[in-house]
Amino acid sequence: MDQDSHCTAERELLEAVSRITTFSTTSPADKEENQPKAEISCQLRKENPEKDDLKDSNATLSPHSSMTTKELQEYWRNEKSQCRQVKLLFEIPSTRIVEHHLSKYVMYKIIILQTGSFDSNKSVIERRYSDFEKLHRNLLEEFSEEMEDVTFPKKTLTGNFTEEIINERKLAFKDYLRLLYSMKCVRRSKKFIDFLTRPELQEAYGCLRGGQYPKALEILLEVIGLQERLTRGNPVSIVPTLCAIMVCHKDLENPASAFEYGEKALSRLRVHSSHRYYIPLLETMITLAYELGKDFLSLQEKLEEWKAKKDPVRVFTLKELAVREYVQ
C-alpha cells in the first residue's frame, strides 16, 4: 500500500508540473486572440526595417552561442527592460518665426517626455509645417486605412504668421502627434521615428565627417535618449548611434567613455554576430580594453571564433562605418 501511495503522489506531482508548464508557455498569439482586429491589422502592416539593423530583439538564441551564463543573464535582463512599455507625451510650448533669404516659416518647438515618472532627460526638437506635412503624406502611403480618420491642419493662403493661426496649429500638431503615437503600427514605423530623429542625426553625422567631434557628440547624446524610448522593442536599431558616440569619445581621447558606450552597443549584438557593426565594434573594443588595462582576451576569443566561422572579407573600421551613415 505504501508503494501505491508513493506512485500515486508521484503521478499527481508530475501532472501538477505539466499543468504549470502548459500555463507558463502559452503562446503570445493565444493571449492576443481578443485584441481588436484593427490593432492586429495595424501590427501586421508595420514596416519591415533594414535587414540587419532592425531585427526583432526577441530572436531565438543561436544553438552555437558562446555566451557565458553571466552574459546570458545580462542579455535577458536587457531584453526584459527593453520590452517594458514606454509612453511618451508630446508638448509644443512655443514657436519661432524664421526668415531665411526669400523664405519665411514657423518652427514649432516639440518637447517629448516619458510619462509615469519624472523625466529629467526630456528631448527637445524643432519642426516646421512642411516637415509635418511630409510625415503625413508618407504615413498615408503606408497606413492608408489606419490614417483614414486622422485630420491634418490645412494650409491657409494668408494669415499663416498671425498669433491666432500659430496657436491653433500648436494645439493641432500636439493632438496629431499624440494620435499617431497611440497607433502601434505608426509609432514603430521607420517613417515616424525618422521624423523625430533624422534631422538631428543628419546634422550630427555631418559634424562627425567634418571632424567636429565635440558638436557631433553633443547632438548624438541628445538624440540617443529619444531613440531608446522610440525603439524599445528593437534595441539593435540604435547600435549605429552608440558606435558613433563611441567614435567621437575615442577621437576626443576619452577611452573610458568610448569603452562604456561600446559595451552598450555590444550588449545589443550578443545574438546578432552577423550585424555589419559587430566585427568593427569588437576590434575597437579590444584596442580600448588593452589601452585601459581591461580584460581583452575574452573579446579577442569572440573575434577569433567569428573569423574561424566566416570567410575572410573586407571589414570596414568602426569610424569608416560611422562616416557612411546618413549621407544624403
Side-chain angles (χ1 to χ4, degrees):
M1 292 293 293
D2 291 341
Q3 186 175 358
D4 292 340
S5 299
H6 177 74
C7 291
T8 301
E10 188 176 23
R11 281 197 301 273
E12 290 176 350
L13 179 61
L14 289 171
E15 290 173 0
V17 171
S18 177
R19 285 195 298 273
I20 293 172
T21 304
T22 302
F23 176 78
S24 64
T25 57
T26 302
S27 163
D30 296 335
K31 295 180 182 179
E32 295 179 359
E33 281 183 353
N34 296 323
Q35 279 191 359
K37 290 183 179 180
E39 178 73 8
I40 296 173
S41 171
C42 200
Q43 294 176 31
L44 292 175
R45 289 172 58 84
K46 185 175 70 174
E47 178 179 8
N48 291 325
E50 290 185 25
K51 184 176 179 181
D52 288 327
D53 287 355
L54 300 176
K55 283 187 178 179
D56 192 334
S57 64
N58 293 322
T60 306
L61 285 173
S62 166
H64 304 295
S65 174
S66 60
M67 294 168 66
T68 64
T69 302
K70 183 179 178 181
E71 289 174 334
L72 199 56
Q73 290 172 341
E74 179 186 348
Y75 172 78
W76 286 118
R77 275 197 301 269
N78 182 56
E79 289 297 292
K80 186 177 180 182
S81 67
Q82 294 294 340
C83 290
R84 290 174 188 155
Q85 185 178 6
V86 174
K87 293 184 179 179
L88 299 182
L89 179 69
F90 297 88
E91 296 288 346
I92 303 181
S94 61
T95 61
R96 63 186 179 95
I97 297 176
V98 178
E99 294 189 57
H100 185 66
H101 296 302
L102 299 176
S103 64
K104 184 179 180 181
Y105 53 88
V106 179
M107 292 294 286
Y108 296 85
K109 181 180 181 180
I110 306 169
I111 297 179
I112 306 159
L113 299 163
Q114 182 174 326
T115 61
S117 62
F118 175 73
D119 188 3
S120 59
N121 297 318
K122 64 183 179 182
S123 300
V124 181
I125 60 176
E126 283 188 318
R127 297 293 182 267
R128 55 187 291 188
Y129 182 94
S130 59
D131 296 324
F132 282 96
E133 192 175 39
K134 181 180 177 182
L135 170 66
H136 191 69
R137 202 164 51 242
N138 289 338
L139 292 177
L140 281 174
E141 291 177 1
E142 186 177 352
F143 307 108
S144 56
E145 293 181 14
E146 292 79 10
M147 295 287 294
E148 188 176 3
D149 298 323
V150 177
T151 57
F152 186 80
K154 294 181 179 179
K155 270 188 176 179
T156 57
L157 295 177
T158 59
N160 285 306
F161 302 103
T162 63
E163 185 177 353
E164 181 183 359
I165 293 295
I166 291 174
N167 286 333
E168 283 179 4
R169 284 185 176 171
K170 275 169 54 179
L171 294 174
F173 283 141
K174 173 185 172 180
D175 291 339
Y176 178 73
L177 290 173
R178 178 190 57 79
L179 183 57
L180 294 183
Y181 186 76
S182 71
M183 295 185 282
K184 184 184 290 186
C185 55
V186 173
R187 72 169 175 262
R188 290 186 175 182
S189 70
K190 187 176 184 299
K191 290 173 182 176
F192 182 70
I193 294 172
D194 277 353
F195 167 78
L196 296 171
T197 61
R198 190 175 182 87
E200 287 71 26
L201 287 170
Q202 285 177 328
E203 182 183 0
Y205 279 98
C207 291
L208 193 157
R209 281 188 288 274
Q212 302 174 42
Y213 303 116
K215 181 62 176 176
L217 183 59
E218 179 186 349
I219 300 171
L220 289 168
L221 289 175
E222 288 177 0
V223 79
I224 189 67
L226 179 56
Q227 274 190 307
E228 287 178 324
R229 295 184 185 98
L230 291 168
T231 60
R232 277 297 178 102
N234 188 15
V236 177
S237 63
I238 68 168
V239 166
T241 307
L242 289 170
C243 289
I245 292 173
M246 186 182 176
V247 167
C248 289
H249 275 304
K250 188 173 182 295
D251 282 4
L252 289 171
E253 298 183 354
N254 299 324
S257 296
F259 191 83
E260 176 189 347
Y261 279 91
E263 286 186 314
K264 291 180 181 180
L266 200 56
S267 70
R268 287 162 169 78
L269 296 181
R270 295 290 187 195
V271 293
H272 299 278
S273 60
S274 61
H275 194 283
R276 61 197 172 95
Y277 271 84
Y278 183 70
I279 294 306
L281 177 58
L282 266 182
E283 291 175 337
T284 307
M285 287 292 284
I286 291 169
T287 302
L288 289 169
Y290 182 79
E291 182 180 347
L292 294 167
K294 294 179 179 289
D295 171 36
F296 63 89
L297 293 178
S298 59
L299 296 169
Q300 187 70 47
E301 288 174 3
K302 292 180 186 296
L303 181 61
E304 296 302 326
E305 180 184 333
W306 186 90
K307 287 182 176 179
K309 292 179 181 177
K310 305 286 184 178
D311 295 328
V313 292
R314 164 79 169 94
V315 177
F316 290 109
T317 66
L318 198 65
K319 189 172 183 177
E320 286 173 338
L321 277 179
V323 298
R324 282 169 168 76
E325 297 285 350
Y326 293 93
V327 177
Q328 293 179 324

